[in-house]
Amino acid sequence: MSEAERDAGQFAYEGLDRVIHERARLGVLTSLIAHPKGLAFGDLRRLCQLTDGNLSRHLQVLQEAGLVDVAKSFERNRPQTMCHITAQGRSRYLDYLAVLEQVVRDAAAAVKANPAAAPLSDLAPA
Amino acid sequence: MSEAERDAGQFAYEGLDRVIHERARLGVLTSLIAHPKGLAFGDLRRLCQLTDGNLSRHLQVLQEAGLVDVAKSFERNRPQTMCHITAQGRSRYLDYLAVLEQVVRDAAAAVKANPAAAPLSDLAPA
């Protein structure tokens, strides 16, 4: 059995849930984990530097997956959209985070073990 | 100035290079960082648990971005495809890794600061 056969799937990272892993949604969920009382749409947009349209689209994906709650209300007679992470969202985010930490550990170990890993061919292309 | 204005872009994570962040490509690059002498196509496929078609497609994206090198050769008279990470690939991977480590730190800090963050509404839906 070759090394690669023994380690089949070592770098598959199936736990990197695609709903959460997408860059903008990862930012949105990390913002909401850091603000458990919820964030107004405008604050979330600024923290993640997304456009209105982009944030709306990603919130819809997260809401359909049951990871966030979006509630419209009135604040001083003005309509306000508040976003919260759900209990399920928090739980799935924690599972995702454990896999992300494994990626970082694998990567840091590989980089440390191979400090001069660049093949010579990059330095002097044929 | 509100807290959200002060922290504008705090969770934008623009350094999460989309070419690298995609789950399968992240696995491919981490495999290649860990194997600086290169990996045969079949070994890479097993390590990342990808189909032939998927691995080919992701290698093409990485090759077009200059992050990997794909070379066809003959090993004991049989054609063999060898994959290497390039110097540019290693450098961009290291930049990406620094941002990923920041995400993990932000997330771990947020989770630790809010251990019971789930809103009551999840436990007893209206």
Side-chain angles (χ1 to χ4, degrees), chain B residues 1-66:
Chain B
M1 191 166 70
S2 78
E3 190 190 332
E5 280 162 13
R6 201 178 56 237
D7 301 333
Q10 187 188 350
F11 297 103
Y13 302 130
E14 280 179 16
L16 287 185
D17 186 334
R18 286 185 191 279
V19 174
I20 301 177
H21 190 60
E22 195 281 331
R23 182 174 76 183
R25 291 196 291 268
L26 181 55
V28 167
L29 288 174
T30 307
S31 304
L32 293 176
I33 282 271
H35 296 86
K37 289 178 187 170
L39 281 168
F41 185 92
D43 290 338
L44 193 51
R45 190 186 55 206
R46 272 187 294 277
L47 283 169
C48 300
Q49 294 198 313
L50 293 167
T51 61
D52 275 16
N54 257 328
L55 179 53
S56 292
R57 190 166 52 87
H58 288 302
L59 281 175
Q60 196 180 342
V61 172
L62 292 169
Q63 201 176 6
E64 280 165 10

Side-chain angles (χ1 to χ4, degrees), chain A residues 3-73:
Chain A
E3 190 190 332
E5 281 164 10
R6 200 176 58 237
D7 301 333
Q10 187 188 351
F11 297 103
Y13 301 130
E14 280 179 18
L16 287 186
D17 186 334
R18 286 185 192 278
V19 173
I20 302 177
H21 190 60
E22 195 282 331
R23 182 173 78 182
R25 290 196 291 270
L26 182 55
V28 167
L29 288 174
T30 307
S31 305
L32 293 177
I33 281 272
H35 297 85
K37 288 177 186 170
L39 281 168
F41 185 92
D43 290 338
L44 193 52
R45 191 188 53 207
R46 273 187 294 276
L47 283 169
C48 300
Q49 294 196 315
L50 293 168
T51 61
D52 276 17
N54 257 328
L55 178 54
S56 293
R57 190 167 53 88
H58 288 301
L59 281 174
Q60 197 181 339
V61 172
L62 292 169
Q63 201 176 6
E64 280 166 8
L67 305 188
V68 308
D69 228 15
V70 179
K72 289 180 200 300
S73 64

Side-chain angles (χ1 to χ4, degrees), chain B residues 1 10 14 17 23 38 47-48 74 80 82 84 90 92 94 111 116-117 119-120 122-123 125:
Chain B
M1 191 166 70
Q10 187 188 350
E14 280 179 16
D17 186 334
R23 182 174 76 183
L47 283 169
C48 300
F74 281 84
Q80 166 141 289
M82 283 297 292
H84 293 87
R90 185 177 159 86
R92 278 179 60 183
L94 291 178
V111 166
L120 280 176
D122 287 324
L123 305 173

Side-chain angles (χ1 to χ4, degrees), chain A residues 47-117:
Chain A
L47 283 169
C48 300
Q49 294 196 315
L50 293 168
T51 61
D52 276 17
N54 257 328
L55 178 54
S56 293
R57 190 167 53 88
H58 288 301
L59 281 174
Q60 197 181 339
V61 172
L62 292 169
Q63 201 176 6
E64 280 166 8
L67 305 188
V68 308
D69 228 15
V70 179
K72 289 180 200 300
S73 64
F74 281 85
E75 176 89 13
R76 295 190 201 100
N77 283 326
R78 290 171 59 190
Q80 165 140 291
T81 301
M82 284 297 293
C83 312
H84 294 87
I85 195 160
T86 63
Q88 192 200 341
R90 184 178 160 85
S91 160
R92 278 179 59 182
Y93 183 89
L94 291 177
D95 291 344
Y96 169 85
L97 185 58
V99 183
L100 202 62
E101 286 171 336
Q102 184 61 50
V103 175
V104 167
R105 275 195 301 273
D106 286 353
V111 167
K112 197 176 164 192
N114 305 291

